[in-house]
């Protein structure tokens, strides 16, 4: 549950508190560190100023004492007369008065004349010291004499000329260092460059004490690691060039560390308390928010199960939750209404309100009781498409509504139920006994349906076909009943019957057609020799040469049985498989024409196509690609269509034929004379050839009427610019008559039956040898 909203809210709040605390701690640490560093530097600077002020005051005291001494008349006289006793007494007494540890009198060459202490402790030749001190008159300097550090000043004794020099100094010892420490709060160390003098205020010194190294390296263990104890600053003292002296100021940071850690621990404790409060408050807040959401999730699952009646049991903590609960309530009602509407639409036809086909299958399973007999009637409206085309889809829809209304009027009284199972097909089911008692049976239903309709002030007569199936004698399962009643109505339509009762065995025949259709599709896909082409030669009547053939498809199934071409072509057209079948035929025939050309056999091949092929958008482009693939001249290919195909969609068909003629393909009108092509339509068709139906040719030499029809058709064709082909030539007499009528080409069993390509080649050789 780490991904739950409650945990996310808690983590977010705690994270924000933690982030704020960490930023605050870091800011405190950074600002405090900067403050402590600046404070230490400031304290050292103050201590440095105190030190300078202290030494300045000492220097001033030295200067005053020295001037008093050198101005004393008695002292000058004693120096001038070299009165050693007086000089010694004056130096001693004067040193006692100003508390000076050092008072020396030097002659002009730097020799020691007298001192307030033991003279043997000092070198008698102090000339170098005197000369360096004279370079900074009336300024004090720090020097090491007899391994002790002094702050001294040198002044001349004039009587009135300089007769000697007086050197006055204060001793710098541990007391001075402690005094400076008490003034500044820092340890003070006086250090000579030659390590010959070390004076420090540090109380507890190690045995090997070296101030610079000690104060720079000594550390203390703190909460966050090891830190330096002292912050140091060294200051150069006025001293001899040959013996410099420095003072080292060392600020102890221990107390600063203690204060910082105390404050830091205080802040950490406050941060922990803040985080604890944050966790508690965020958990309460998250609980108040997620509890209603959990309840709403339960309600959503109830919605998913179809239960739209719910009661919110959680506490409504805010206006937003109230709004969300109200929205859920509204959503549940809306979904319930839409679901009912969708459920109705999913099971019913939107136009008539009848059940749809899938719902009707369920109803049949639920409603039919094998202990009772029911009659299933499938009703097909004939010619409804033409009404839509001529009068518009609104009139067509109103016709469907009117038919549905009459079906309801007939079967509702019988306790029946109905469905619209196709675009123009209905199914009504009612108890057989009830219709026998109350109605005049199926004949009465058909009479009621065929009565004239008034649709938007129009008087419309509709024709119907009906298929009848009896339950349970002719089927029990809903799928079987639906399939069989559709087979029955299809048989009624195909046989031009008004009513057709299902006959046992029709279902098996239907299934056999489905199996045959599946095998045909597999045969096209596998191209394993089941399907093959035969070619029937056409004789040119004037030249007596064979220059054309008609391509005819044949199918021998794997079990060796032959299938009538009319049967499987009709199945292909009904199922839409005709497009794939024609594509196979076109590819096979053009490839054969190319093969014949390679053998110097020039034959024009005719290919029969259907209306679906012409209407298929890819037919033209596929034909062009195939011709280019095999490098075949389009003039060697003739497309044959029947009159029925031409009339099916005249405008679209004419446009497609014109496109074919544009690439050089020939167009032939097959079965001419038995269709409905008028002379007015004939002159509009973009064709090159008329093919007379064999019904006029089979007994041409015996029927004078057939001769009149054929003669007039040939004459008409020639006058319209068409060549004429007669098929079905069975006798020599018919062939001679056609020749006398100036027919262009003839084909039939008198010349040859359809042959495979290799047999046709042999037949051509024999024909050429005979003729």
């Amino acid at each position: 549950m780490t991904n739950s909203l409650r945990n996310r809210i808690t983590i977010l709040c705690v994270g924000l508190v933690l982030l704020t605390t960490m930023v605050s701690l870091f800011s405190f640490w950074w600002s405090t560190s900067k403050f402590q560093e600046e404070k230490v530097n400031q304290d050292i600077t103050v201590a440095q100023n105190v030190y300078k002020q202290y030494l300045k005051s000492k220097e001033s005291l030295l200067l005053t004492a020295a001037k008093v001494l050198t101005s004393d008349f008695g002292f000058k006289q004693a120096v001038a007369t070299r009165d050693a006793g007086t000089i010694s007494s004056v130096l001693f007494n004067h040193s006692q008065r100003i508390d000076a540890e050092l008072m020396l009198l030097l002659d002009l060459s730097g020799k020691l004349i007298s001192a307030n202490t033991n003279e043997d402790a000092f070198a008698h030749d102090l000339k170098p010291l005197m000369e360096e001190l004279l370079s900074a008159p009336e300024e004090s300097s720090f020097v090491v004499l007899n391994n002790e550090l002094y702050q001294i000043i040198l002044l001349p004794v004039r009587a009135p000329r300089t007769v000697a020099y007086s050197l006055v100094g204060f001793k710098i010892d541990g007391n001075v260092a402690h005094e400076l420490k008490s003034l500044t709060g820092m340890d003070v160390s006086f250090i000579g460059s030659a390590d010959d003098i070390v004076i420090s205020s540090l109380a507890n010194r190690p045995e090997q004490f070296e101030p610079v190294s000690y104060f720079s390296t000594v550390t203390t263990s703190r909460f966050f690691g090891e830190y330096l104890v002292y912050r140091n600053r060294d200051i150069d003292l006025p001293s001899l060039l040959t013996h410099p002296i420095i003072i080292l100021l060392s600020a102890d940071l221990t107390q600063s560390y203690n204060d910082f850690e105390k404050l830091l621990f205080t802040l950490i404790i406050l941060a922990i308390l803040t985080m604890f409060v944050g966790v508690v408050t965020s958990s309460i807040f998250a609980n108040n928010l997620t509890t209603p959401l959990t309840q709403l999730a339960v309600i959503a699952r109830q919605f998913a199960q179809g239960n739209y009646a719910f009661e919110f049991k959680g506490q409504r903590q805010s206006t937003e939750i109230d709004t969300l609960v109200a929205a859920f309530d509204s959503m549940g009602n809306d979904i319930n209404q839409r679901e009912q509407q969708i459920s109705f639409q999913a099971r019913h036809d939107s136009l008539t309100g009848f059940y749809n086909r899938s719902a009707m299958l369920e109803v049949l399973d639920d409603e039919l009781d094998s202990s009772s007999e029911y009659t299933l009637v499938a009703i097909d409206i004939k010619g409804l498409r033409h009404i839509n085309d001529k009068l518009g889809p609104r009139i067509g829809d109103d016709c469907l509504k009117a038919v549905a209304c009459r079906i309801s009027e007939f079967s509702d009284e019988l306790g029946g139920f109905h469905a619209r199972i196709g675009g123009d097909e209905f199914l009504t089911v009612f108890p057989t006994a009830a219709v026998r008692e109350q109605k005049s049976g199926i004949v009465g239903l058909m009479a009621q349906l065929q009565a004239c309709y008034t649709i938007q002030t129009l008087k419309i007569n509709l024709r119907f076909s009906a298929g009848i199936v009896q339950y349970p004698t002719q089927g029990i399962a809903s799928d079987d009943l639906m399939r069989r009643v559709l087979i029955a109505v299809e048989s009624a339509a195909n046989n031009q019957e008004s009513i057709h009762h299902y006959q046992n065995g029709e279902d098996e025949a239907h299934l056999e057609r489905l199996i045959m259709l599946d095998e045909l599709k597999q045969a096209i896909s596998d191209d394993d020799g089941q399907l093959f082409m035969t070619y029937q030669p056409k004789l040119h009547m004037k030249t007596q040469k064979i220059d054309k053939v008609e391509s005819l498809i044949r199918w021998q199934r794997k079990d060796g049985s032959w299938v009538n071409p009319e049967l499987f072509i009709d199945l292909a057209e009904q199922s839409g498989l005709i497009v794939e079948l024609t594509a196979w035929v076109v590819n096979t025939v053009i490839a054969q024409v190319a093969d014949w050309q390679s053998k110097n056999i020039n034959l024009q091949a005719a290919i029969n196509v259907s209306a679906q092929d012409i209407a298929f958008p890819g037919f033209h482009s596929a034909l062009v690609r195939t011709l280019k693939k095999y490098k075949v001249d389009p003039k060697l290919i003739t497309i044959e269509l029947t009159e029925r195909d031409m009339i099916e969609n005249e405008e679209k068909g004419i446009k497609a034929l014109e496109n074919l003629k544009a690439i050089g393909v020939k167009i032939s009108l097959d079965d001419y004379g038995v269709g409905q092509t008028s002379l007015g339509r004939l002159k509009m068709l973009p064709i090159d050839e008329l093919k007379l139906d064999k019904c006029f040719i089979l007994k041409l030499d015996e029927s004078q009427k057939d001769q009149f029809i054929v003669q007039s058709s040939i004459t008409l064709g020639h006058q319209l610019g068409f060549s004429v082909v007669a098929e079905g030539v069975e006798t020599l007499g018919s062939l001679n008559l056609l020749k006398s009528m100036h027919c262009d080409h003839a084909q039939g069993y008198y010349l040859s039956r359809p042959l495979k390509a290799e047999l046709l080649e042999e037949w051509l050789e024999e024909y050429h040898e005979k003729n």
Side-chain angles (χ1 to χ4, degrees), residues 643 669-674 682 690-693 696 713 716:
E643 289 188 66
L669 182 63
D670 198 6
D671 297 340
Y672 177 75
V674 296
L682 185 63
L690 283 181
K691 194 170 186 182
L692 302 180
D693 190 77
F696 303 116
S713 297
L716 176 63

Side-chain angles (χ1 to χ4, degrees), residues 444-487:
L445 171 60
M446 296 303 293
Q448 187 171 334
L449 291 176
Q450 290 173 351
C452 183
Y453 292 83
T454 302
I455 307 295
Q456 298 184 16
T457 72
L458 297 175
K459 299 294 183 179
I460 298 178
N461 290 308
L462 298 177
R463 295 178 299 110
F464 298 87
S465 297
I468 314 298
V469 169
Q470 299 297 329
Y471 172 91
T473 58
Q474 292 183 325
I476 296 176
S478 60
D479 290 339
D480 294 339
L481 291 170
M482 182 69 73
R483 184 176 63 256
R484 289 168 184 173
V485 77
L486 289 175
I487 291 172

Side-chain angles (χ1 to χ4, degrees), residues 626-642:
T626 308
L627 290 170
K628 289 183 178 179
K629 175 182 177 182
Y630 293 104
K631 299 179 181 179
V632 171
D633 190 343
K635 294 180 180 179
L636 295 178
I637 302 300
T638 300
I639 299 297
E640 287 191 7
L641 296 97
T642 64

Side-chain angles (χ1 to χ4, degrees), residues 6-18 271-287:
R6 179 175 180 175
N7 290 341
R8 286 186 175 188
I9 294 174
T10 302
I11 292 172
L12 176 62
C13 294
V14 173
L16 290 175
V17 172
L18 181 62
I272 293 173
L273 292 175
T274 303
M275 289 180 61
F276 175 75
V277 173
V279 171
V280 174
T281 55
S282 61
S283 297
I284 295 173
F285 171 73
N287 185 64

